[in-house]
Amino acid sequence: MLTVSKEFNVCVWRNVIHFMFKGTLIVTYNSHLLDSCMSTHLLVFSFLTLFLVQEEAPSKVFGVPLSHLRKTGLMRQGLPLALTHLVGFLEKHGLSTCGLFRVGGTVLRQYELRKCFDRGGFPKMNVEDVHSSAYVLKHFLRTLPGGLIPEPFMIELLKVFKMFRLSKRHKAVKKILDTIPEENYNILCLLTFFLSRVAAASHANRMTTTNLSIEFGPIIFHVPQGPTKLEEEEMCISFTEYMLDNLRHLLPNIYPQASAINTAGDAVSEAEEDFTPKKCVQQVLLAETSSKPAKIGRLGRLRRRFLHFWQKFGSRNGRCKVEPSGAGDVQ
């Protein structure tokens, strides 16, 4: 998209208003045929202007690295706040929506939601915003630099996916997934288990794991341009479907089990609820559910040394051994 300055934007819109006013006078004076032609020209000119005019400030949420979100305070517990906001809203109001993630909603509403997130806010959304918010979620993943699963890991995953049979594939794939960057890993866990909940309601939304993999396969993996791009994208779609069908063998469920899920027959009583940053953080508690070892502080290291010493002391004196706590249990 062409980048233009603020002064140019003001100039363009001034010309548009002048053109519309002048055109209206001419059309009023002349025949209805000119009125039809002028309306067509105004419509085309308005669309061209919308494509030329870009946001005045650079995006703070979309199309930026995860490290940028972390530095600017737009992440909590390894997850972008905008993403948890969208997932929480869609889980509450979108699981029973037919064609979820296939219908894009309105362009204007998509722009408003993105603009609000870029300003550091959390837009108020109602049930009419389901399709628009679903598109914004996809847009966040699509514009993530390097993709949610970076290319080196994508190559290894597809290689293992083609080589190993199902009996050995789980272990090999899980080993690779555990090595991707931590923030990408957290988002992948949140996204895939949310999509599994969408697929569980496929009787209402018509989005099975096959349909979801078609939508999200090319988004999770950013396949580079080349002669084998289409073939690799098809492989990514197949791998995404395999991953959604075998989540419990591949990824830990960091998605909150206690969160409320609206079924097809539930009434939306909180359609206009405002998701605050605090509520977004409460939705995902990585410290309680992440399968990766938690970081150990100074007190944890001292406790481990004490237990190790006591174990040796007890073995020398014929006492019972004391099993040290796991790394994840040390606060």
Side-chain angles (χ1 to χ4, degrees):
M1 185 177 290
L2 182 63
T3 304
V4 293
S5 63
K6 180 179 179 180
E7 291 75 11
F8 181 79
N9 294 341
V10 174
C11 180
V12 168
W13 283 112
R14 186 184 296 119
N15 291 334
V16 170
I17 296 173
H18 177 72
F19 180 69
M20 292 175 65
F21 180 76
K22 184 177 179 181
T24 304
L25 294 178
I26 296 175
V27 169
T28 305
Y29 184 78
N30 291 286
S31 63
H32 294 286
L33 179 61
L34 287 177
D35 183 30
S36 176
C37 295
M38 184 61 68
S39 300
T40 304
H41 287 305
L42 287 175
L43 182 62
V44 173
F45 194 80
S46 299
F47 273 111
L48 290 175
T49 306
L50 287 175
F51 279 106
L52 284 175
V53 175
Q54 198 180 34
E55 299 175 9
E56 297 178 3
S59 178
K60 296 182 180 179
V61 174
F62 302 93
V64 298
L66 295 177
S67 58
H68 174 79
L69 299 179
R70 183 178 65 252
K71 293 177 182 178
T72 54
L74 296 176
M75 294 189 73
R76 294 292 186 277
Q77 299 188 2
L79 287 170
L81 288 177
L83 184 65
T84 57
H85 180 79
L86 291 167
V87 169
F89 171 78
L90 290 173
E91 182 202 13
K92 181 169 290 189
H93 304 305
L95 294 185
S96 61
T97 302
C98 185
L100 184 65
F101 294 116
R102 281 194 167 179
V103 181
T106 62
V107 177
L108 178 60
R109 187 54 178 159
Q110 295 167 11
Y111 175 80
E112 291 174 349
L113 295 176
R114 290 168 50 194
K115 194 70 174 178
C116 185
F117 283 124
D118 279 332
R119 291 171 179 169
F122 289 82
K124 292 183 178 181
M125 297 182 289
N126 52 44
V127 70
E128 296 178 354
D129 295 324
V130 168
H131 290 304
S132 297
S133 59
Y135 174 86
V136 173
L137 187 150
K138 291 170 59 178
H139 180 74
F140 175 86
L141 298 172
R142 186 183 295 112
T143 58
L144 188 64
L148 181 57
I149 298 182
E151 185 178 356
F153 301 95
M154 178 193 71
I155 295 174
E156 293 297 324
L157 286 172
L158 296 183
K159 182 179 179 181
V160 167
F161 182 68
K162 291 186 294 186
M163 289 179 55
F164 289 89
R165 294 184 178 180
L166 189 62
S167 57
K168 296 182 179 180
R169 185 183 296 167
H170 293 341
K171 186 176 181 180
V173 168
K174 186 178 186 304
K175 186 176 180 181
I176 298 174
L177 290 176
D178 288 341
T179 60
I180 68 176
E182 184 176 0
E183 291 167 345
N184 297 64
Y185 185 84
N186 293 337
I187 296 175
L188 181 65
C189 293
L190 176 68
L191 175 67
T192 51
F193 275 95
F194 166 65
L195 293 181
S196 71
R197 293 174 185 266
V198 175
S202 60
H203 60 280
N205 56 44
R206 301 292 187 264
M207 295 303 291
T208 62
T209 55
T210 301
N211 295 334
L212 289 171
S213 62
I214 293 174
E215 293 294 323
F216 282 88
I219 296 177
I220 294 176
F221 302 92
H222 290 185
V223 180
Q225 293 291 339
T228 60
K229 178 179 174 63
L230 293 178
E231 181 181 352
E232 291 181 358
E233 282 189 347
E234 291 180 359
M235 186 65 63
C236 290
I237 292 173
S238 300
F239 177 83
T240 303
E241 184 177 5
Y242 155 76
M243 187 167 55
L244 292 177
D245 289 334
N246 299 275
L247 280 181
R248 63 189 183 91
H249 300 293
L250 304 176
L251 294 169
N253 186 1
I254 68 173
Y255 204 85
Q257 297 291 338
S259 57
I261 302 177
N262 287 336
T263 58
D266 291 340
V268 180
S269 60
E270 300 176 358
E272 296 185 355
E273 180 182 357
D274 183 20
F275 290 84
T276 63
K278 184 177 180 181
K279 292 181 180 179
C280 291
V281 174
Q282 291 175 350
Q283 287 179 8
V284 182
L285 302 177
L286 296 179
E288 296 181 1
T289 53
S290 178
S291 66
K292 292 189 175 183
K295 294 182 179 180
I296 303 174
R298 184 177 181 182
L299 182 61
R301 291 193 295 269
L302 290 175
R303 183 181 177 186
R304 174 177 287 183
R305 291 178 183 176
F306 174 76
L307 292 174
H308 184 66
F309 167 78
W310 187 255
Q311 182 180 8
K312 286 186 176 181
F313 180 79
S315 61
R316 291 180 181 178
N317 292 273
R319 299 180 183 180
C320 296
K321 295 182 179 181
V322 179
E323 294 294 336
S325 300
D329 299 330
V330 181
Q331 302 295 331

